[in-house]
Amino acid sequence: MSRASRAADDLVAQHHASGHTFRAGGIRGFTLDQGEGPPVVCLHGVPTSSFLYRKLVPELAALGFRGVAPDFPGAGLGARPLAFDYTWSGLARWTDRAMDALGIDRCHLVVHDVGGPVGFEWAITRPERVLSLTALDTLVDVASYRPPPSMWPFTVPVAGEAWLPVLRPPVSRRFFRRVGLADGSSLTDAEVDAHFALITRQDAGRAFLRTMRGFEPTAAKQAFYYEGLASRPYPAQVVWARDDPILGLPRLRAVLDALGVGFPTVLAGRHYLQEEQAPAIAAAVAELAGA
């Protein structure tokens, strides 16, 4: 085992020690959970996990919130059951059970990437449980969504299985830094490696592939999001990375339109804004919660 691999394993072990496990819907879950006060639940996308929120959760706790970042089934340190619905709808139903299991009645919700469609569905079906919504670099106009070229092979049987072994160091490091970070040196190789280890380590990425193939980019789902979010009873905001190469200005405009938000909070960064702008994101969540 290389020194970088050992360092990544050490980071995964530290991440595991900083959270706790729980059971929701009969499935073992894992979550970061720090602080006292109103819960702020942070939902991740792909190919990430709760590890992406390891900097934001302590920032939220320091501002007087309970920061919670669960792993979806199939990602991170959660279970990867074969008999599970890995569609956005299935993940939203599991999220509702996870809220119950974690003792969360109402929360401020933070969503990112395809955690957006999942979180939107949960928020639309459970509006009474949402205090506010913060959308970070996500998508709502799903009918026209197509994964970027680097992710598209994962949606195709056989191609995804062949492409997944390619996306490992050093290729994964170049990919993560190019699409995710404004300053590539802001994360060590071990931190980047830990991100990908948490996707593939338990089952060689099989559940991740099922999640990628569970996307629901349909006109009906898009209409559901727009109609449901338009009638929400809670405040919302959009926080966006200035130079996101994955979800650019058209996706930003769609999210603003769906939420009825006039303008975004734009922060310097790329797609994985949580890595470089955790204090600013926490401040934005706190400001919306106070409003």
Side-chain angles (χ1 to χ4, degrees):
M1 180 182 293
S2 69
R3 180 179 301 176
S5 295
R6 288 194 298 272
D9 285 347
D10 289 344
L11 286 175
V12 170
Q14 292 170 23
H15 177 60
H16 186 276
S18 68
H20 66 85
T21 59
F22 64 98
R23 294 193 71 81
I27 296 171
R28 175 179 51 80
F30 174 83
T31 187
L32 298 178
D33 194 335
Q34 298 179 29
E36 304 288 340
V40 179
V41 176
C42 306
L43 302 181
H44 66 83
V46 291
T48 56
S49 66
S50 61
F51 189 69
L52 183 62
Y53 288 107
R54 71 195 182 283
K55 300 175 183 177
L56 181 58
V57 164
E59 293 286 346
L60 292 167
L63 292 176
F65 296 95
R66 176 188 172 192
V68 181
D71 283 327
F72 287 130
L77 296 170
R80 304 177 182 219
L82 290 173
F84 182 78
D85 181 359
Y86 286 95
T87 63
W88 294 338
S89 300
L91 291 169
R93 286 190 292 271
W94 180 86
T95 297
D96 193 55
R97 297 185 181 100
M99 296 287 187
D100 292 340
L102 292 168
I104 296 172
D105 182 38
R106 304 181 72 199
C107 70
H108 301 282
L109 185 64
V110 177
V111 300
H112 177 252
D113 194 84
V114 299
V118 175
F120 295 154
E121 181 146 347
W122 178 75
I124 290 166
T125 57
R126 292 290 200 174
E128 74 283 359
R129 302 186 72 167
V130 183
L131 295 168
S132 73
L133 172 62
T134 297
L136 305 174
D137 294 67
T138 186
L139 64 152
V140 69
D141 52 336
V142 299
S144 63
Y145 176 70
R146 299 295 179 271
S150 57
M151 297 292 287
W152 175 83
F154 297 133
T155 67
V156 181
V158 180
E161 283 77 2
W163 181 237
L164 194 56
V166 176
L167 200 61
R168 62 177 56 176
V171 175
S172 57
R173 296 171 186 165
R174 290 196 297 268
F175 165 76
F176 193 94
R177 290 188 167 100
R178 185 177 69 250
V179 305
L181 304 175
D183 177 7
S185 65
S186 62
L187 256 66
T188 65
D189 286 349
E191 288 176 295
V192 177
D193 294 350
H195 271 292
F196 286 94
L198 285 161
I199 297 301
T200 60
R201 58 184 276 130
Q202 294 185 43
D203 64 349
R206 287 186 291 273
F208 162 69
L209 294 176
R210 290 196 292 274
T211 302
M212 290 295 300
R213 294 162 190 170
F215 286 11
E216 299 173 272
T218 66
K221 185 63 74 174
Q222 178 170 308
F224 171 76
Y225 295 147
Y226 273 82
E227 292 168 9
L229 293 172
S231 63
R232 72 183 192 279
Y234 47 83
Q237 67 178 337
V238 179
V239 179
W240 210 264
R242 185 181 60 201
D243 300 307
D244 189 333
I246 300 296
L247 300 173
L249 286 178
R251 302 294 175 197
L252 168 58
R253 294 190 188 101
V255 174
L256 290 170
D257 181 55
L259 293 175
V261 174
F263 54 89
T265 297
V266 178
L267 300 175
R270 294 191 176 183
H271 189 61
Y272 299 123
L273 196 61
Q274 301 92 321
E275 289 288 4
E276 297 176 302
Q277 293 285 1
I281 296 169
V285 172
E287 184 175 358
L288 183 64

